[in-house]
Amino acid sequence: MKATTRSIRALKGKRPIVCLTAYDAITARIADQGGADLILVGDSLGNTVLGMEDTVGVTLEMMVHHTAAVVRAKPDALVIADLPFALAHDNFPNLLKSCRTLLQKGGAHGVKIEGGTSLAPAIEKLVDAGIPVMAHIGLLPQRVHSTGYRRRGLTPADQQKILADARAVTAAGAFSVVIECVDEKLSQQLTSSIDIPTIGIGSGIGCDGQILVIHDLLGLTSNPPPFVKPEANLHRDAVSAVKRWASKVRKVSRR
Ligand code: KIV
């Protein structure tokens, strides 16, 4: 059955929600056939598959290109596309245009936006325009140049800020919220304080669901974050397969 923002939201309190990134039709099929409820076309595509240092260089055009590839796999999972670096801070007509492009040209079912309280008014207007929004709070990778990749919620003041962010995006109408790299106790508190699903990454088991970068899970990346326990080592297996084939090719003499 095709997932919808409503079906994902309804899973809160019923069973854990399984989310994975995908960036093309192949990874989308793997995630979908493996049973993911939601596929995120994350801007992590920059550092995961495009060879970038971080997500800052990922553009709207890149997101549309990769989202369309994921959608062509026709997954049952809900497909959400990341809004790239700083576009959420554009004026509202431009923000609406960017999100519309991700839905109309990319075929996404909704957008993910990094940011909390300060973006709540924009999230409310997007939701009012019929654009489902998944919020993203805690560590915000798009802010690598301002705050770095620090774990969040280490002080009572920061915990209060993150709690306020969670409440603000919920009140603004987000259908779910990614919680990145916060302490498990805080993620539990966030989960019980809001009525939308919390999807954790590096935040322990206190959330309503979990998300990982699929290449990290499958062992395709060389340095996954410390909280990932890869379930396969596809990089090693692929290199071995290429080596076996290369040696067969080299053994065949030309007559
Ligand atoms: O870009 C991304 O892939 C993400 C998730 C891993 C949460 O933001």
Side-chain angles (χ1 to χ4, degrees):
M1 212 176 60
K2 289 253 176 213
T4 63
T5 52
R6 287 173 312 287
S7 68
I8 296 291
R9 200 175 162 162
L11 290 174
K12 186 173 175 97
K14 301 230 165 67
R15 68 152 172 87
I17 304 167
V18 177
C19 310
L20 274 172
T21 68
Y23 314 107
D24 54 26
I26 289 188
T27 47
R29 276 184 210 113
I30 294 170
D32 199 48
Q33 289 170 22
D37 300 302
L38 181 151
I39 292 176
L40 172 70
V41 189
D43 59 357
S44 55
L45 84 90
N47 45 297
T48 307
V49 296
L50 298 182
M52 296 176 174
E53 283 291 310
D54 48 51
T55 61
V56 174
V58 175
T59 63
L60 190 65
E61 291 67 31
M62 292 173 192
M63 288 306 305
V64 168
H65 180 78
H66 286 269
T67 303
V70 164
V71 169
R72 275 183 222 115
K74 299 191 174 44
D76 283 340
L78 188 74
V79 178
I80 299 299
D82 241 334
L83 188 68
F85 176 66
L87 291 186
H89 295 267
D90 259 352
N91 59 41
F92 188 72
N94 283 344
L95 168 60
L96 180 61
K97 196 167 161 200
S98 300
C99 294
R100 214 165 48 208
T101 304
L102 289 170
L103 269 69
Q104 289 186 322
K105 293 202 175 144
H109 303 129
V111 300
K112 176 167 81 57
I113 296 183
E114 286 189 20
T117 310
S118 67
L119 288 179
I123 292 176
E124 192 168 352
K125 285 204 215 165
L126 288 172
V127 172
D128 189 45
I131 297 181
V133 176
M134 178 179 216
H136 182 154
I137 62 175
L139 189 158
L140 303 180
Q142 292 178 359
R143 302 206 180 177
V144 57
H145 296 311
S146 49
T147 52
Y149 295 129
R150 287 185 299 113
R151 278 191 80 73
R152 293 289 312 277
L154 300 177
T155 62
D158 201 35
Q159 289 162 10
Q160 284 312 310
K161 185 193 174 308
I162 294 169
L163 188 55
D165 284 339
R167 290 196 167 121
V169 297
T170 304
F175 77 91
S176 64
V177 56
V178 170
I179 311 235
E180 181 156 355
C181 287
V182 308
D183 187 71
E184 186 167 311
K185 231 170 116 193
L186 177 58
S187 67
Q188 262 162 6
Q189 191 189 357
L190 296 170
T191 300
S192 58
S193 304
I194 58 177
D195 64 1
I196 58 172
T198 55
I199 308 296
I201 175 161
S203 299
I205 55 164
C207 290
D208 295 303
Q210 297 289 329
I211 185 162
L212 283 181
V213 166
I214 194 165
H215 291 64
D216 292 340
L217 178 71
L218 298 180
L220 282 163
T221 44
S222 52
N223 55 345
F227 54 80
V228 179
K229 293 189 183 67
E231 296 284 347
N233 191 338
L234 294 194
H235 178 82
R236 183 201 55 204
D237 295 349
V239 170
S240 302
V242 171
K243 281 186 176 163
R244 282 195 303 275
W245 182 72
S247 93
K248 283 180 197 160
V249 169
R250 290 191 186 108
K251 269 187 205 142
V252 176
S253 56
R254 294 176 73 211
R255 294 171 197 243

